[in-house]
Amino acid sequence: MERRQKNQQQQNPRRNPLSSSSSSSSSHSSNRKSRYRPPNRASGDARARHREDSGLDSGDATTWDEPRSLARSIDERASAAGTRSSMGIREQQEQHQHHQDGENARDSREFASAVGTCPYMCPGMGEMAQRERLRDLAVFERLHGNPAKTSPELAVKKFCRTISTRHVQLSDIRPLSVLGSTLDYLMNLMNSTPEPFETVHDFIFDRTRSIRQDLSMQDILDKRAIHMYEKMVNFHVISHHKLRLSSSGPNSFNISSLHHLNMEQLAKVLTSLYNLYDLNRDHNSMHKNEPEYRSLYVLLCLNSESLPEGERLSLWFRRVPTPVIKSKEMTFARRILRYFRTDNYKCFFSTIAAEASYLQYCALEPYIDKVRALAVLLINNGGYKLHPYPIAHLSNLLMMEESEVESFCIACGLETSLDEQGNKVLPTKQPAFNHPKAGHGKYGFSGFENICRTL
Amino acid sequence: MAYLSMGEAHRRITDYLGRFSDAVSSQDVASLKHLLSLSSNSPSLLSLADALNLFQDANRLIKQSDKYSQFAEIVVPLFRCLQNYKLNNLVDAYHAYEKAANAFIQEFRNWDSAWALEALYVIAYEIRVLAERADRELSANGKSPEKLKAAGSYLMKVFGVLAGKGPKRVGALYVTCQLFKIYFKLGTVHLCRSVIRSIETARIFDFEEFPQRDKVTYMYYTGRLEVYNENFTAADQKLSYALAHCNPRSEENIRMILKYLIPVKLSIGILPQDWLLEKYNLVEYRNIVQALKRGDLQLLRSALEEHEDRFLRSGVYLVLEKLELQVYQRLLKKIYIIQKQKDPSKAHQMKLEVIIKALKWLEIDMDLDEVECIVAILIHKNLVKGYFAHKSKVVVLSKQDPFPKLTGKPVNA
């Protein structure tokens, strides 16, 4: 992009190499306050390079631990989003969207290091008044239920896709402190409202997008941004779980598209969060919550085969920092991945029950019924015909209530029966197994209350 | 540094300009490519750079003569690149080289025959290597490394120029391989898809026409992609092709190919011999092979842990992890063989307790449920033929071929 190159020239004018006292190593340091200068890095290396291409390269990913000081430019973040980590869903489209979220990358340079001045959750002058007039108020924003009246305590700035930063005033942008309290307000709303979850989800989905927009326009890329992005990931992961619960009945088609959009957005927010972790890394350290939030990616993508080619987990792991790999949370995720990939239903469930955090559980929840179906398939397939499998035992293995096990088996096209003592059993070697249709039923998880205690 | 006079500097510059224009006019690609090969650090290029830094007005020399000025668009930025390169301003060097390279491509387009292809190869290589160094410089200064990405865009343009019906098209594979290297380094591996599609489906390309060296490199990278996607049959095909056609004297390249081929072969039940691992320094696989031979689950786990970082960075860790099912199969087979020696008539019945004991002996603790689960998995994947009786906690093996071999096919899903 021309702007970027021009900027570089401004900061690094072509100097007459023989003039005054400038030596080669100072040519870049004069107007840059780099926090860290590794020894001998900038002096380049004088080893003779291979004259010819050696043909192949070793294939190992470059080490990740090149320290970087805080980045200031949005361009960097935009390109970093493309190169640093790739994410499941249509990466290029997402990168384009990321550009849009961060607004027109070139124009927003004007806002670099600018601080917004809007003191309310929603800019008072323009947006609030306009939306009152147009009766464009969400149910949570209505004062006493009045669709044409709101207040500064209730109105929250909407996400605007086509905003041109040329027309945006600083008074329309919320500073960090206001963004923080806006986010807290929204998170509280999620837990306290009587409205159906889809409605809350929709509202928070949009309003948090606007928060990210304000954050990026002000170039906030430090630990405070990390803190906020983590909360937004929480929202999307919990929605991932709660939207499944509400997906039944006449609304179910709408919910499943909400679920899909939520997953897309979750992917974007996670990618941005990982970029923030990378930007803020000091030497070999990692952010306090980084292991858990990295582990979520693995758990969301257990079925790596469903990801587009070139984005499989094998590639993703190449670029994960070593301290994160060795962390408790990532070790858990990798073990779950191993159990999933080897069809080890016994360890899959027992490990989740014993070690999963609430967020981790929510992330991997869609796979739970898949593994259950697999377990039933394997047992039906390999079990001795004269030894029907006790449902009680199955319920322990699969972490399900006995009654739910029964209906699950039936959903798999299998019949249950009773043994001589009157216990429920699953006869094996039944010929007609099928995988239950998606969204067929909501089954619980026996260890769920325990897991919720980690919240 | 030896004293350099203005006169000498002038001579070196005009000398280069002369060689450049002669090379082009006589279509002498061997000479031309040396004039473009920056990273070779050849003494003549380095001394030219000194001359340029002293003389400071090479542009005037270039414009003075018609013979040289026709190449001004290429040579002027090339000189600037040399100057910056000598002074270790790699970012500026990259920019200048890219400019020269763009101008070169314009000329290249106009030349009818493919005489300058090798010079183009040099440029493609230099662009990538310079971009990598420029990015290192950017990172070191706390800035975003974006030159390698730009190099990728440039090479895509070059690919487009070569993807035509004429003789220049055999150069497309070399450029593709440079692109692969860039994408792999950047982690944007999904971008390989579109070039692969062009190479493999466009009618203008005939894979056999490409130079051998490029075909090997191409199969190496596409083979690696198949490994990441766990298409083992395709991975085996491609990596084996690369191995078979690789220069037998370039041990380093053979080693790179084997590094990915071995996990693939292991997954389809083919074990490498120890001398191979020794010869090509791939000893990290030694214990894994042993574990498969002995049915030693603990050894597999410790081998994975010992080289965890290396396997993760090369991207084969997940493939190796899955070998545990074959290790379990081997373990059960050994128990079966021992039982057969003691009492052939009862050998086909294996108590789950016995398996637990065997695992304990390997220092692995497993309960009945887990062992039963493993057995169910092995049966499902056709690694064991038989069934398990839940109440009597026993595996009953088929009397015929209870442990089918993989015979070159991956463990079925």
Side-chain angles (χ1 to χ4, degrees):
Chain A
M1 298 187 199
E2 328 87 276
R3 190 56 96 99
R4 208 189 300 155
Q5 284 191 333
K6 199 168 99 176
N7 211 31
Q8 281 224 314
Q9 278 184 6
Q10 281 167 1
Q11 289 166 346
N12 203 358
R14 206 149 316 289
R15 287 207 194 107
N16 185 330
L18 291 184
S19 75
S20 59
S21 54
S22 52
S23 60
S24 59
S25 57
S26 71
S27 61
H28 289 279
S29 60
S30 46
N31 25 353
R32 290 260 134 229
K33 288 180 231 143
S34 28
R35 255 183 23 207
Y36 177 78
R37 258 184 141 224
N40 294 323
R41 215 66 95 106
S43 54
D45 86 276
R47 274 178 307 155
R49 298 263 150 199
H50 290 300
R51 197 174 275 263
E52 256 171 42
D53 209 345
S54 67
L56 308 173
D57 87 80
S58 71
D60 297 331
T62 45
T63 53
W64 61 277
D65 53 356
E66 286 170 334
R68 299 169 64 197
S69 52
L70 271 186
R72 288 268 119 205
S73 74
I74 294 185
D75 281 354
E76 176 204 337
R77 222 168 6 90
S79 71
T83 61
R84 279 274 162 195
S85 52
S86 66
M87 188 74 196
I89 297 149
R90 276 159 272 136
E91 202 244 0
Q92 283 186 329
Q93 186 182 356
E94 169 225 315
Q95 193 182 348
H96 173 69
Q97 284 256 280
H98 197 102
H99 261 285
Q100 290 205 309
D101 269 2
E103 292 329 291
N104 201 322
R106 271 170 274 177
D107 288 333
S108 39
R109 270 189 174 279
E110 281 142 36
F111 282 99
S113 322
V115 178
T117 57
C118 171
Y120 306 115
M121 297 198 291
C122 181
M125 290 303 130
E127 185 178 326
M128 202 164 93
Q130 188 187 49
R131 288 208 281 135
E132 279 181 324
R133 238 183 14 247
L134 298 173
R135 299 167 94 91
D136 177 20
L137 297 170
V139 70
F140 308 102
E141 295 171 312
R142 297 174 190 173
L143 194 58
H144 306 308
N146 184 341
K149 198 85 190 75
T150 183
S151 78
E153 287 78 37
L154 296 176
V156 184
K157 184 176 174 191
K158 261 181 124 170
F159 172 68
C160 186
R161 192 182 288 278
T162 58
I163 203 171
S164 157
T165 52
R166 264 183 285 272
H167 304 306
V168 167
Q169 319 275 12
L170 281 181
S171 57
D172 285 336
I173 303 184
R174 297 159 291 179
L176 183 69
S177 54
V178 176
L179 289 172
S181 46
T182 306
L183 186 58
D184 287 338
Y185 168 77
L186 291 171
M187 295 296 110
N188 278 335
L189 196 62
M190 183 165 67
N191 298 322
S192 59
T193 178
E195 296 286 334
F197 187 73
E198 306 91 83
T199 319
V200 181
H201 168 83
D202 217 28
F203 181 65
I204 301 182
F205 186 107
D206 180 83
R207 301 307 193 265
T208 48
R209 243 180 139 178
S210 168
I211 290 181
R212 291 197 291 282
Q213 207 168 29
D214 279 8
L215 279 173
S216 89
M217 281 201 274
Q218 297 171 88
D219 228 358
I220 301 174
L221 298 167
D222 59 7
K223 294 195 156 74
R224 302 166 299 177
I226 287 182
H227 190 56
M228 295 188 63
Y229 268 79
E230 285 176 353
K231 285 199 190 152
M232 292 190 270
V233 168
N234 290 358
F235 160 69
H236 285 289
V237 172
I238 294 173
S239 289
H240 195 58
H241 160 66
K242 290 201 168 160
L243 284 175
R244 273 172 49 96
L245 287 179
S246 39
S247 62
S248 55
N251 235 356
S252 63
F253 177 71
N254 184 34
I255 303 267
S256 97
S257 74
L258 272 184
H259 199 261
H260 178 74
L261 291 170
N262 182 57
M263 182 65 184
E264 270 190 349
Q265 200 66 216
L266 172 54
K268 283 168 58 174
V269 181
L270 268 180
T271 304
S272 303
L273 178 58
Y274 297 158
N275 287 336
L276 287 172
Y277 285 141
D278 284 338
L279 283 175
N280 285 282
R281 201 181 301 287
D282 283 323
H283 306 278
N284 220 16
S285 72
M286 57 183 181
H287 194 269
K288 182 173 60 131
N289 296 327
E290 188 175 353
E292 181 169 20
Y293 285 92
R294 292 261 188 193
S295 74
L296 293 179
Y297 182 84
V298 177
L299 298 170
L300 287 165
C301 304
L302 282 183
N303 191 7
S304 193
E305 276 107 51
S306 68
L307 292 174
E309 271 198 27
E311 291 172 41
R312 305 294 165 89
L313 280 175
S314 280
L315 282 166
W316 186 82
F317 276 121
R318 289 173 92 202
R319 310 189 142 255
V320 177
T322 304
V324 175
I325 294 270
K326 303 235 182 269
S327 69
K328 177 179 79 127
E329 293 82 355
M330 188 53 95
T331 306
F332 164 78
R334 288 172 59 204
R335 280 167 53 215
I336 294 293
L337 179 67
R338 186 172 100 225
Y339 299 143
F340 182 82
R341 281 159 52 85
T342 52
D343 296 341
N344 189 333
Y345 51 84
K346 156 74 173 84
C347 292
F348 183 79
F349 289 112
S350 60
T351 310
I352 294 175
E355 297 175 33
S357 72
Y358 180 69
L359 281 181
Q360 289 172 325
Y361 172 84
C362 290
L364 58 77
E365 196 184 29
Y367 297 104
I368 287 180
D369 284 346
K370 290 197 171 70
V371 179
R372 284 170 174 163
L374 185 86
V376 170
L377 169 66
L378 261 53
I379 289 173
N380 180 52
N381 184 44
Y384 184 36
K385 197 162 184 174
L386 298 180
H387 287 191
Y389 209 87
I391 299 275
H393 197 74
L394 208 46
S395 104
N396 283 338
L397 277 181
L398 306 183
M399 304 296 290
M400 273 170 116
E401 299 290 314
E402 280 188 41
S403 54
E404 292 197 324
V405 174
E406 253 199 284
S407 66
F408 188 79
C409 289
I410 292 171
C412 292
L414 299 179
E415 292 174 0
T416 62
S417 81
L418 295 172
D419 67 6
E420 285 132 11
Q421 283 84 40
N423 300 315
K424 298 223 177 83
V425 290
L426 174 71
T428 60
K429 301 288 189 199
Q430 295 187 46
F433 173 89
N434 59 263
H435 281 280
K437 294 194 228 331
H440 62 284
K442 302 297 151 295
Y443 303 104
F445 188 83
S446 304
F448 190 62
E449 286 82 47
N450 234 11
I451 291 174
C452 286
R453 284 201 212 117
T454 72
L455 248 179
Chain B
M1 190 166 69
Y3 171 71
L4 180 60
S5 71
M6 270 307 207
E8 172 63 14
H10 181 282
R11 190 198 66 76
R12 286 182 194 172
I13 296 170
T14 47
D15 186 59
Y16 179 94
L17 290 170
R19 279 188 286 149
F20 191 98
S21 61
D22 287 343
V24 175
S25 53
S26 58
Q27 300 195 346
D28 175 7
V29 74
S31 307
L32 182 60
K33 63 183 199 182
H34 286 303
L35 300 174
L36 300 163
S37 174
L38 215 70
S39 62
S40 64
N41 285 333
S42 73
S44 65
L45 280 178
L46 290 177
S47 64
L48 173 64
D50 286 334
L52 289 166
N53 279 329
L54 175 65
F55 195 81
Q56 285 301 313
D57 199 10
N59 293 357
R60 182 174 54 86
L61 283 180
I62 296 172
K63 297 201 168 93
Q64 255 175 3
S65 149
D66 282 336
K67 191 169 157 214
Y68 307 148
S69 62
Q70 57 179 312
F71 303 117
E73 303 265 305
I74 301 174
V75 181
V76 165
L78 195 57
F79 279 179
R80 195 163 63 238
C81 170
L82 269 169
Q83 288 177 266
N84 279 302
Y85 183 80
K86 190 80 199 316
L87 297 168
N88 262 309
N89 302 335
L90 270 355
V91 177
D92 291 334
Y94 171 80
H95 275 151
Y97 199 88
E98 201 194 74
K99 201 147 186 229
N102 269 315
F104 184 88
I105 265 285
Q106 297 308 324
E107 281 302 307
F108 181 84
R109 255 200 180 116
N110 298 331
W111 294 327
D112 274 324
S113 76
W115 73 266
L117 213 46
E118 286 191 28
L120 187 63
Y121 291 166
V122 166
I123 287 188
Y125 173 78
E126 295 292 331
I127 276 262
R128 177 175 66 87
V129 165
L130 265 177
E132 285 178 13
R133 292 181 66 177
D135 274 355
R136 282 206 284 275
E137 184 178 283
L138 286 170
S139 284
N141 292 331
K143 289 193 262 193
S144 161
E146 36 162 52
K147 298 306 169 201
L148 195 55
K149 196 163 175 226
S153 302
Y154 170 78
L155 287 178
M156 276 305 282
K157 215 179 353 176
V158 175
F159 185 89
V161 169
L162 294 173
K165 290 206 199 103
K168 295 174 188 166
R169 70 182 185 279
V170 297
L173 203 61
Y174 181 87
V175 175
T176 300
C177 293
Q178 294 300 314
L179 277 168
F180 281 164
K181 294 187 191 204
I182 292 180
Y183 293 148
F184 270 70
K185 185 137 200 175
L186 288 175
T188 54
V189 154
H190 62 285
L191 293 175
C192 296
R193 239 177 298 157
S194 68
V195 263
I196 292 176
R197 212 170 335 143
S198 298
I199 295 281
E200 295 187 1
T201 62
R203 265 172 290 174
I204 42 168
F205 293 130
D206 177 3
F207 195 72
E208 291 315 309
E209 280 183 333
F210 292 121
Q212 183 82 306
R213 177 194 65 170
D214 297 338
K215 284 193 278 194
V216 168
T217 309
Y218 180 83
M219 286 300 203
Y220 167 75
Y221 280 104
T222 50
R224 275 177 63 186
L225 284 178
E226 301 288 8
V227 175
Y228 295 143
N229 296 329
E230 301 199 18
N231 301 330
F232 294 133
T233 315
D236 187 12
Q237 247 168 24
K238 297 186 180 180
L239 292 171
S240 296
Y241 178 102
L243 188 65
H245 293 88
C246 184
N247 181 350
R249 271 172 310 192
S250 71
E251 292 205 355
E252 188 54 26
N253 285 352
I254 293 181
R255 181 178 175 278
M256 310 278 198
I257 298 172
L258 284 174
K259 197 163 83 157
Y260 291 93
L261 187 55
I262 288 175
V264 171
K265 290 286 196 193
L266 291 177
S267 301
I268 56 179
I270 298 174
L271 273 51
Q273 303 205 326
D274 204 57
W275 67 264
L276 188 74
L277 299 179
E278 185 82 49
K279 177 169 182 188
Y280 293 103
N281 192 23
L282 288 162
V283 291
E284 62 263 30
Y285 290 120
R286 182 175 274 156
N287 281 346
I288 295 183
V289 174
Q290 276 293 75
L292 279 165
K293 282 194 182 146
R294 303 210 297 234
D296 188 343
L297 189 66
Q298 183 64 293
L299 188 58
L300 176 70
R301 291 213 179 137
S302 65
L304 284 175
E305 203 184 320
E306 188 185 342
H307 301 287
E308 183 181 68
D309 211 59
R310 195 198 304 227
F311 290 145
L312 279 173
R313 301 298 161 211
S314 56
V316 297
Y317 188 93
L318 293 182
V319 172
L320 294 170
E321 229 183 13
K322 231 172 159 177
L323 293 173
E324 82 171 30
L325 292 175
Q326 287 161 252
V327 175
Y328 280 124
Q329 183 202 42
R330 182 70 194 146
L331 178 66
L332 261 59
K333 187 169 184 181
K334 283 177 90 165
I335 298 175
Y336 171 72
I337 290 173
I338 293 173
Q339 285 189 179
K340 219 172 176 187
Q341 286 171 345
K342 281 200 188 152
D343 185 352
S345 63
K346 296 229 196 76
H348 65 286
Q349 289 192 16
M350 199 183 291
K351 294 202 180 124
L352 296 185
E353 279 296 340
V354 171
I355 303 176
I356 291 181
K357 237 188 257 175
L359 286 165
K360 241 209 170 79
W361 193 65
L362 289 170
E363 289 172 39
I364 295 191
D365 265 313
M366 243 185 233
D367 64 17
L368 268 173
D369 279 335
E370 195 178 344
V371 172
E372 183 186 79
C373 174
I374 302 282
V375 168
I377 298 169
L378 293 174
I379 292 173
H380 176 69
K381 293 199 185 273
N382 209 33
L383 287 166
V384 166
K385 281 224 192 95
Y387 60 84
F388 65 89
H390 177 74
K391 237 193 283 182
S392 14
K393 308 193 198 317
V394 147
V395 187
V396 178
L397 299 166
S398 155
K399 298 247 172 86
Q400 272 189 341
D401 190 25
F403 301 101
K405 281 195 148 117
L406 283 174
T407 59
K409 288 213 189 70
V411 176
N412 64 346

